[in-house]
Amino acid sequence: MDKPKINPYIPIVIGVISVSISAILVKLASAESGVIAFYRMFFSVLIMSPLFFMKYKNEIKIMSRRDWTFSVIAGVFLSFHFILWFESLNYTSVASSTVLVTLQPIFAFVGTFLFFKEKISLKTLLAGFIAIIGSFIISWGDFKISGSALYGDILALIACALVTAYLLFGQDVRKRLSLITYTYVVYSISSITLFFYVLIKGESFVGHPSIDWLWFLLLAIIPNLLGHTLFNWSLKYVSTNALSIAILFEPIGAAILAFYVFNEVVTSLQVLGGIVVILGIMLFVIDGKLVLRIFFKKKA
């Protein structure tokens, strides 16, 4: 493995900060959730187009019917993930929404168990149980605030399930395509899906405040292209588990930003629930032998 010119954890930190900004930019925009999601994906496709057509367009020819089918399904799931997650931010706090969306590894396990018959380990069951308890603590705290906050939590959980489905359908296609080609195809399909969603809903593509166009563009550049590109680059030098744990700091970054930008105060139950969820997911992604060494000392 080539030695990186910079410490790979530096790009990871920048990536975490980049994706943490996503929820903030969504809340700053005044447009409907579908419109925000459409322009996030559409601008991403526009920015990627020169590179794709200059270097990667021929990869389209090797895509099979199965690849196209799975890519379309993945793109549709990604579209509705953004719609529901963005909508959840209209009802619940940034902290609650982003923590619940980080349950993705647990949802991924459920998906691989149901569709690929992967075995369930004791560690996985324990991790899932802990994460579920954490999500209930968050939801109970939000329900005490208002019923609409609980509704936002439910939307965030559904959004998490949808992004998991997007990843499960995409992982097979990703094995045969470069990152650029796969991303470009799925983002394009997502843009088309969102275009028709906005059209059917009767929402407006234009007439938004000038500042909204800045938020749309920044959503495409910072979390979509910068954040996820840095994560994918870092995978060459660090383990997937290390990256998964690093991404768990996204809700912390988002909550801090929300406090300073929107004066959102995190409740004690949100903090407790968030900590429990993150501990559960950390238990899920770290190596099982390491867990045993931490919690059970070997007999002398």
Side-chain angles (χ1 to χ4, degrees):
M1 183 181 295
D2 297 332
K3 187 176 181 180
K5 295 181 180 179
I6 60 174
N7 188 317
Y9 288 100
I10 294 175
I12 289 176
V13 171
I14 297 172
V16 170
I17 295 171
S18 299
V19 296
S20 298
I21 293 172
S22 180
I24 307 302
L25 294 174
V26 171
K27 291 207 72 166
L28 286 171
S30 61
E32 296 87 349
S33 299
V35 174
I36 299 171
F38 168 72
Y39 280 115
R40 172 174 179 161
M41 304 311 295
F42 178 67
F43 284 147
S44 296
V45 171
L46 284 183
I47 295 169
M48 292 179 67
S49 290
L51 177 62
F52 173 76
F53 284 105
M54 284 190 295
K55 293 188 175 182
Y56 297 94
K57 63 180 180 181
N58 289 332
E59 285 191 29
I60 293 292
K61 298 176 183 178
I62 69 171
M63 290 182 66
S64 64
R65 182 178 297 178
R66 175 189 173 91
D67 291 340
W68 278 109
T69 300
F70 277 29
S71 295
V72 168
I73 295 172
V76 172
F77 276 129
L78 182 61
S79 302
F80 284 95
H81 156 73
F82 281 130
I83 291 169
L84 293 183
W85 181 43
F86 292 176
E87 191 67 20
S88 76
L89 292 166
N90 291 326
Y91 297 96
T92 192
S93 67
V94 168
S96 293
S97 181
T98 51
V99 165
L100 293 172
V101 169
T102 59
L103 282 166
Q104 183 269 322
I106 304 298
F107 278 90
F109 163 73
V110 174
T112 55
F113 170 71
L114 292 175
F115 297 107
F116 303 111
K117 307 303 179 184
E118 290 191 3
K119 293 182 179 180
I120 305 177
S121 67
L122 179 60
K123 184 197 78 169
T124 299
L125 284 174
L126 179 60
F129 181 70
I130 292 171
I132 290 170
I133 289 176
S135 65
F136 272 117
I137 293 172
I138 293 172
S139 298
W140 175 248
D142 285 346
F143 177 71
K144 290 176 69 176
I145 296 172
S146 71
S148 62
L150 178 61
Y151 175 65
D153 292 347
I154 294 171
L155 291 178
L157 283 170
I158 298 172
C160 183
L162 290 172
V163 77
T164 305
Y166 149 70
L167 293 170
L168 289 175
F169 276 98
Q171 67 181 6
D172 182 62
V173 184
R174 177 68 183 88
K175 294 175 183 177
R176 292 180 293 280
L177 297 177
S178 67
L179 174 65
I180 296 295
T181 299
Y182 171 72
T183 302
Y184 188 83
V185 168
V186 173
Y187 281 13
S188 297
I189 292 167
S190 182
S191 297
I192 294 169
T193 303
L194 289 163
F195 173 82
F196 283 106
Y197 173 86
V198 173
L199 204 63
I200 292 170
K201 288 273 291 183
E203 297 168 353
S204 177
F205 289 99
V206 295
H208 304 292
S210 300
I211 193 65
D212 272 6
W213 296 100
L214 175 62
W215 306 141
F216 298 157
L217 185 60
L218 290 178
L219 274 167
I221 295 173
I222 299 177
N224 254 28
L225 299 180
L226 177 61
H228 293 288
T229 299
L230 289 173
F231 289 152
N232 286 309
W233 175 86
S234 67
L235 281 174
K236 184 177 180 180
Y237 306 104
V238 302
S239 69
T240 302
N241 287 345
L243 181 60
S244 298
I245 291 173
I247 293 174
L248 293 179
F249 287 95
E250 177 191 348
I252 299 172
I256 293 171
L257 289 170
F259 174 76
Y260 285 104
V261 177
F262 305 115
N263 293 319
E264 279 194 5
V265 179
V266 181
T267 67
S268 57
L269 283 177
Q270 286 175 327
V271 173
L272 176 61
I275 291 172
V276 173
V277 167
I278 290 173
L279 286 175
I281 299 170
M282 286 183 69
L283 177 61
F284 177 78
V285 299
I286 62 179
D287 181 73
K289 293 180 180 178
L290 178 60
V291 175
L292 292 175
R293 286 199 296 270
I294 293 173
F295 290 98
F296 303 100
K297 292 183 179 179
K298 292 183 177 180
K299 292 183 180 180

